[in-house]
Amino acid sequence: MPILPNQNRRHFVTSLMGGSLAAMAAGGVSATEGRADSQTAQGVAPDDPVMHYWNRPLSELVDIGPYTAPAEEMERHRVYANLVLALLHGYFNGNKDGDTGDYPWRSSQRIAGSGTQSLYAGGRYLGHNICCVAVDGDGDIIDFDFNHNSIFNSSVEHAEARLIKRIFSLSDIHQDWDSAVGADDRWNLSSSAEKAPMKGQMDDDYGRSLSNVTIYTSLESCAQCSGIMTLANIKQVVFLQPDPSQYMIGKIMYRLSRPVGQEGGPGAPRPISATEVGIETTARLDHDYKTFQAAVGTGLGKTPFYKPPGSDNDPAQWSGGKSITGFLCSDLAFADFRSGREALDAMTLAHADFRPEGQQMLTNMEVLSQARHFLNYALTEGRRGTPHR
């Protein structure tokens, strides 16, 4: 099918798909039959996890059990989780629809004007208020990144996906963000034993180089980011807010990417809700999001998300979107992020001298000190995850 000069790519793809479906129908194959066989798991080995869960309830597939760890390790998790919240507070920008107009859910962020002639703090909106941090096996912070969908005009510039790609590039650099670390040092992404190829599974080093890395992310990961973390063999991912629109895809991938009954090892990272490590802000974020969803809108008794400049008396122009990214622009979310920053600033440790096995592992006190140091670096040099030292 030739592409005419005035045909854009989207039209071409759409017409091609339409032609393919028409061809299947002409051949006596329905579109549904052409897309998938919904009756049997053909070609799947009997001991494959897909076969195991094929006729079982979805609840069994997503039930990965509670996360358990010693109190000393839970304390380390809380440090990194509060760091993510502190980064979100420091880089907060709620100007999803521009920095002028009226955002009824953002009254504390207004810096001038009133009504739809208001001006809001934050400047240009680069992407959603979603952030993540990567930590290596010794407890050292590798780097951070943010969602940058808006600046790239793309729906796939997610924080976790961007960070994983950054880590792979950093793994070959012999100098990290902390200038106090010598030029010959690098992050402990994987021990030499872990980097050895696993017989029958992979024949490369990079496939295992991130196998002891933990990602701390502010929002439950989507299918794209879960897939990229799976390819990277990330150990685990701790998320600070559940995202119902992602259908627990991380848990599903965790179960289906390894033999039935196996925990850990190669496969999708284990999703861990921050509530399981003692972060109270997770429950508040979930509660506040539900409050936002119930009250936002343009109908009777609802509060709009945004009113464009000059639309004070024209409800037809108002936006009442209930998206989670809209909630992440609200005063509710901003206050929750601030609580995490305050918690990091005021945090005291019950297990300050705890050091996991291994001479290079940081103590909990060293972890907290580094997190505070990293926050200062990130807010002055990190440029919200855009290229930096």
Side-chain angles (χ1 to χ4, degrees):
M1 178 186 295
I3 304 178
L4 301 178
N6 62 345
Q7 279 187 301
N8 62 32
R9 285 170 289 181
R10 179 176 296 179
H11 180 269
F12 168 69
V13 172
T14 303
S15 62
L16 184 62
M17 290 176 63
S20 299
L21 293 176
M24 286 194 296
V29 179
S30 72
T32 302
E33 291 172 331
R35 283 193 292 264
D37 181 345
S38 62
Q39 302 302 315
T40 61
Q42 295 182 2
V44 179
D47 59 348
D48 190 282
V50 172
M51 180 61 78
H52 175 80
Y53 290 106
W54 190 257
N55 291 312
R56 296 171 185 265
L58 179 63
S59 58
E60 184 176 331
L61 177 60
V62 300
D63 181 10
I64 63 175
Y67 174 73
T68 59
E72 296 89 343
E73 292 185 16
M74 293 292 198
E75 187 172 72
R76 296 166 78 87
H77 282 309
R78 290 194 292 275
V79 173
Y80 302 121
N82 282 326
L83 171 61
V84 171
L85 292 169
L87 286 166
L88 284 162
H89 178 265
Y91 277 111
F92 190 87
N93 185 328
N95 295 329
K96 189 177 181 183
D97 293 312
D99 59 359
T100 58
D102 182 14
Y103 289 93
W105 289 90
R106 300 179 55 211
S107 58
S108 75
Q109 302 166 51
R110 183 185 290 114
I111 56 177
S114 62
T116 63
Q117 301 305 314
S118 298
L119 176 67
Y120 289 82
R124 182 181 180 183
Y125 192 73
L126 303 180
H128 307 312
N129 292 310
I130 304 170
C131 172
C132 61
V133 166
V135 177
D136 76 5
D138 287 339
D140 281 308
I141 298 165
I142 304 172
D143 215 334
F144 79 111
D145 220 316
F146 267 77
N147 177 294
H148 277 177
N149 280 6
S150 292
I151 194 171
F152 288 107
N153 195 31
S154 164
S155 61
V156 299
E157 292 294 327
H158 293 190
E160 301 98 308
R162 289 171 52 79
L163 182 58
I164 295 300
K165 288 183 281 188
R166 181 190 293 279
I167 297 173
F168 273 118
S169 67
L170 290 175
S171 64
D172 288 325
I173 298 176
H174 292 259
Q175 186 175 5
D176 68 14
W177 61 270
D178 187 346
S179 59
V181 175
D184 291 332
D185 291 326
R186 63 164 59 190
W187 301 278
N188 177 23
L189 298 182
S190 177
S191 70
S192 58
E194 288 175 320
K195 291 187 70 172
M198 297 189 65
K199 185 177 181 181
Q201 292 185 318
M202 56 187 65
D203 58 1
D204 54 72
D205 282 350
Y206 58 78
R208 293 288 290 163
S209 61
L210 308 189
S211 61
N212 64 3
V213 170
T214 296
I215 300 293
Y216 295 83
T217 186
S218 61
L219 188 64
E220 188 173 6
S221 302
C222 69
Q224 174 200 225
C225 294
S226 295
I228 288 177
M229 288 189 288
T230 300
L231 291 173
N233 256 305
I234 296 298
K235 178 182 178 181
Q236 55 195 6
V237 54
V238 179
F239 60 91
L240 281 146
Q241 182 180 357
D243 185 351
S245 70
Q246 298 310 317
Y247 315 110
M248 300 184 182
I249 188 65
K251 292 183 178 180
I252 293 173
M253 291 182 65
Y254 178 77
R255 276 286 173 244
L256 295 183
S257 63
R258 51 182 43 81
V260 176
Q262 177 177 309
E263 303 293 335
R270 190 196 198 285
I272 303 169
S273 169
T275 57
E276 297 182 276
V277 302
I279 295 292
E280 296 178 356
T281 307
T282 295
R284 288 204 300 274
L285 281 165
D286 189 38
H287 172 271
D288 289 345
Y289 175 45
K290 290 174 181 176
T291 299
F292 172 83
Q293 276 201 313
V296 72
T298 57
L300 183 65
K302 301 291 185 178
T303 302
F305 172 72
Y306 175 68
K307 301 177 182 179
S311 69
D312 299 77
N313 300 311
D314 187 4
Q317 296 188 49
W318 299 350
S319 167
K322 298 176 180 292
S323 70
I324 200 164
T325 55
F327 161 72
L328 294 175
C329 294
S330 69
D331 283 345
L332 292 169
F334 186 54
D336 291 336
F337 298 156
R338 181 175 59 243
S339 71
R341 186 168 186 174
E342 292 170 348
L344 183 68
D345 290 341
M347 198 168 185
T348 58
L349 303 176
H351 311 282
D353 296 326
F354 170 72
R355 186 193 306 273
E357 294 183 7
Q359 293 299 313
Q360 294 182 332
M361 299 289 279
L362 300 183
T363 66
N364 286 12
M365 180 55 74
E366 290 170 334
V367 163
L368 178 58
S369 176
Q370 187 182 103
R372 289 168 173 166
H373 182 190
F374 183 85
L375 177 63
N376 179 66
Y377 154 79
L379 296 181
T380 56
E381 302 288 340
R383 303 173 61 203
R384 200 190 134 119
T386 54
H388 55 269
R389 292 188 299 111

